[in-house]
Amino acid sequence: MRKALLALLLAVSTTAAFAQEKTFELKLSHWVPASHPLQKALEDWGAAVEKASSGTIKSRVYPAQQLGKAFDHYDMARDGIADVTYVNPGYQPGRFPVIGAGELPFLMSDAKGGSMGLDAWYRKYADKEMKDVKFCLAFIHSPSSFHSRTKKIVVPDDIKGMKIRPADATIANFVTLLGGTNVQSSAPEVRDIIERGVADAVTFPWGSLVLFGIDKVTKFQMDAPLYVTTFVFVINKDKYNDMSERQKKAIDDNCNTEAAGRVGELWGKFEDSGLDKVKAEAGQDVYQLTAEQTALWKKASEPLIKTWGDGVRKAGVDPDAALTELRASLTKYNALTP
């Protein structure tokens, strides 16, 4: 009888505590189409948080730059224009130098393991580098490469004189290093700038190549694991701090390395499926690199490590130690390129 009474009192007190909590409806913002796998990833994230918070934290996803431009998503979370945003740190060169290590060529081999390795490593640095927001998780897409309208890109010298839309700051540095010219644009704008001849080529993953219609304006498709792009989910600090401890735990339990792996895996499968779709299209020249050609690309990319290191050192971080830690983390999650 006493146990039953205690259980009843506990249930009543717990219900009362829940009733005192504020109810939140979070605005989750991203800048790709609603048909992109990121939409489902954010919907799943929001559903998991809602369940963990006993329904007190609901959410709505705003796709396709509805709340703001792709380049602005970090500041949108900082300023409360959105509560949770999807950010490409490489869209703002020099602002987030540490996480740029994930952009170094020929580093990561797998979307799920690479996402988990990157996330586990970056948590040590996120509070300082992204101090304006609450860091949630970091992830990548599948390893990707060049897609060209004008000519077949086989060796690094082929980039000379070309106009390239780079995926991130590191690839932009690479293009400059190889004698090319960078054309900056967000992902939704890429097809247009290639179609109009503003850019000759782009670095882009396979599934998104099809989703954004870029396969309709490019012909020469390099099938090589040249690079990945790093991404993060970040949260408005004021909104998070306004939550109860139980609600914060519901957020924290979905802002971890395991959650990063789920996002990376979902997106990775989507991107990998695009390769066969492009191969099946008439008029496409999908080609792989020889071992000798790959060696040339790896050799040409070596200066990027120093460039990244110089930027990181200015931020007060030891680049050698940081890169060693990242390689170890990727090895742990079976995602380090041999």
Side-chain angles (χ1 to χ4, degrees):
M1 181 71 178
R2 187 181 178 190
K3 287 183 178 180
L5 180 60
L6 287 172
L8 178 61
L9 290 172
L10 179 62
V12 170
S13 64
T14 301
T15 301
F18 288 179
Q20 291 173 2
E21 288 180 327
K22 292 182 181 179
T23 298
F24 294 89
E25 181 165 344
L26 302 182
K27 292 180 287 186
L28 281 51
S29 179
H30 68 83
W31 33 268
V32 292
S35 52
H36 192 282
L38 194 68
Q39 174 79 15
K40 178 168 173 34
L42 279 168
E43 288 172 352
D44 289 350
W45 186 90
V49 169
E50 182 173 354
K51 181 178 180 181
S53 68
S54 301
T56 61
I57 304 176
K58 302 180 186 300
S59 60
R60 178 181 174 186
V61 180
Y62 294 83
Q65 305 186 98
Q66 288 181 24
L67 299 184
K69 293 292 185 181
F71 296 100
D72 297 331
H73 268 59
Y74 178 87
D75 293 334
M76 286 164 55
R78 180 196 65 191
D79 299 338
I81 295 170
D83 301 307
V84 181
T85 64
Y86 159 61
V87 179
N88 178 346
Y91 274 174
Q92 296 179 303
R95 189 174 184 184
F96 309 105
V98 177
I99 199 171
E103 301 169 357
L104 292 170
F106 301 105
L107 184 63
M108 302 191 203
S109 62
D110 173 74
K112 180 181 179 180
S115 294
M116 296 179 78
L118 176 72
D119 179 88
W121 165 80
Y122 188 59
R123 290 185 175 275
K124 174 180 176 179
Y125 303 101
D127 285 347
K128 181 179 179 181
E129 183 158 87
M130 299 188 178
K131 60 182 181 295
D132 308 304
V133 296
K134 173 179 170 54
F135 172 77
C136 178
L137 53 83
F139 57 101
I140 63 165
H141 58 52
S142 295
S144 309
S145 197
F146 287 100
H147 308 277
S148 172
R149 175 182 65 90
T150 56
K151 70 176 184 180
K152 196 170 184 176
I153 300 170
V154 179
V155 295
D157 284 346
D158 291 332
I159 297 296
K160 190 171 183 178
M162 293 189 72
K163 297 172 292 185
I164 311 284
R165 183 272 181 183
D168 51 52
T170 302
I171 295 300
N173 288 339
F174 200 19
V175 168
T176 300
L177 184 68
L178 298 177
T181 300
N182 287 289
V183 179
Q184 298 294 341
S185 82
S186 63
E189 300 165 337
V190 170
R191 175 175 177 167
D192 178 60
I193 64 171
I194 292 180
E195 196 165 27
R196 292 190 290 113
V198 176
D200 301 316
V202 63
T203 50
F204 226 69
W206 291 101
S208 293
L209 195 79
V210 177
L211 177 64
F212 286 94
I214 301 167
D215 58 320
K216 306 303 181 190
V217 294
T218 55
K219 176 183 178 180
F220 305 101
Q221 323 288 0
M222 182 194 290
D223 179 13
L226 177 67
Y227 81 99
V228 302
T229 299
T230 62
F231 303 99
V232 295
F233 289 166
V234 295
I235 302 173
N236 176 261
K237 271 191 171 181
D238 290 340
K239 186 60 63 74
Y240 176 79
N241 290 334
D242 198 29
M243 295 179 178
S244 70
E245 292 305 311
R246 193 182 71 91
Q247 289 173 320
K248 288 178 180 177
K249 186 176 186 302
I251 296 287
D252 294 345
D253 287 349
N254 289 282
C255 286
N256 53 33
T257 298
E258 289 69 29
R262 290 194 293 272
V263 175
E265 181 178 27
L266 181 67
W267 193 351
K269 288 180 178 178
F270 165 78
E271 299 296 1
D272 291 342
S273 70
L275 176 57
D276 287 338
K277 293 177 183 177
V278 176
K279 283 182 175 179
E281 294 173 2
Q284 293 287 6
D285 185 351
V286 180
Y287 58 95
Q288 293 183 327
L289 301 179
T290 66
E292 292 78 12
Q293 291 163 348
T294 300
L296 290 174
W297 284 102
K298 288 184 176 181
K299 181 69 175 176
S301 70
E302 287 177 358
L304 296 176
I305 298 176
K306 182 183 183 304
T307 302
W308 167 79
D310 290 343
V312 167
R313 197 173 285 108
K314 290 177 184 176
V317 173
D318 180 348
D320 295 331
L323 189 54
T324 297
E325 292 166 359
L326 176 55
R327 290 181 183 277
S329 187
L330 293 171
T331 298
K332 176 181 177 181
Y333 292 100
N334 301 310
L336 181 68
T337 297

